[in-house]
Amino acid sequence: MIAVVTFRAKNTFIASLRWTENWSARILEDKLFLSATRTVNGTGQELRDAIDKGRYSICGHVDMAMVSALHPSTLSTGLFVPCRDAIESCNRCLTDYTTTAEQRFINIKDGKLNLTRACWLITVTSYHRLGSGRSPLDVKWHALATRGIRDLRTTPRDMIRYPQGTVREVWKEGEKA
Ligand SMILES: [Zn+2]
């Protein structure tokens, strides 16, 4: 039987933006996996400022300022470009993550005026493979738990054995079981 453990949602307020995290844990292929879904919404400029300052982390090596899907090309005129489940991965630890950026319009009242405000909802779901989960010396656990850039014991992710998307695929297969 495959069990999933879901933790209580955690809210962090940075400036006026609420960053919500929902974590789950599973044992898959006899290894410990974690997944976190993070959401934040606000106006394009509010989010651009918060993201570019790298205030939100995905793992010890990647923060939101490093997520390619949240940085439109120089040809784009908007602050964000809509995307759905754009997949990327950390090249230090066994973390894959998908990004969805959706533009929404909400109605607000300003005195007697009804205004429409454009907002963005950004969702980043990460998937982490931590090895057996039985030893802090396990290299997979160690890679996620430490900031690999400063840690000489951490080896970079083996991208041939664990190419981008493979951690997520195992989690998604576990969801079907
Ligand atoms: Zn990482």
Side-chain angles (χ1 to χ4, degrees), residues 30-33 94 129-134 138 140-141:
D30 201 30
K31 306 293 182 220
L32 175 62
F33 283 71
L94 291 174
R129 181 176 179 136
L130 292 104
S132 68
R134 294 182 181 96
D138 187 311
K140 295 180 181 71
W141 174 281

Side-chain angles (χ1 to χ4, degrees), residues 86-138:
I87 189 159
E88 297 174 55
S89 65
C90 179
N91 62 11
R92 301 289 305 177
C93 68
L94 291 174
T95 294
D96 292 333
Y97 51 96
T98 59
T99 305
T100 297
E102 305 164 86
Q103 193 165 33
R104 294 191 172 169
F105 296 92
I106 59 168
N107 294 320
I108 55 169
K109 225 171 163 55
D110 185 2
K112 290 183 178 174
L113 293 174
N114 285 318
L115 304 173
T116 301
R117 185 183 184 208
C119 289
W120 285 87
L121 173 64
I122 292 173
T123 305
V124 178
T125 302
S126 60
Y127 306 89
H128 312 270
R129 181 176 179 136
L130 292 104
S132 68
R134 294 182 181 96
S135 168
L137 300 177
D138 187 311

Side-chain angles (χ1 to χ4, degrees), residues 3-92:
V4 59
V5 180
T6 304
F7 305 96
R8 246 175 98 170
K10 179 182 159 205
N11 292 311
T12 307
F13 286 89
I14 298 177
S16 58
L17 300 176
R18 182 168 62 187
W19 173 248
T20 302
E21 295 181 60
N22 280 297
W23 285 84
S24 301
R26 285 173 189 267
I27 301 293
L28 300 163
E29 299 178 350
D30 201 30
K31 306 293 182 220
L32 175 62
F33 283 71
L34 296 176
S35 176
T37 298
R38 302 163 175 91
T39 56
V40 61
N41 66 69
T43 67
Q45 194 60 56
E46 287 170 338
L47 289 172
R48 184 79 277 156
D49 291 344
I51 288 168
D52 288 351
K53 286 177 182 161
R55 288 171 158 172
Y56 307 114
S57 294
I58 294 167
C59 65
H61 321 98
V62 177
D63 63 44
M64 294 279 272
M66 300 158 78
V67 176
S68 301
L70 296 177
H71 293 82
S73 73
T74 50
L75 299 175
S76 170
T77 54
L79 292 168
F80 295 97
V81 170
C83 61
R84 177 159 294 280
D85 292 334
I87 189 159
E88 297 174 55
S89 65
C90 179
N91 62 11
R92 301 289 305 177

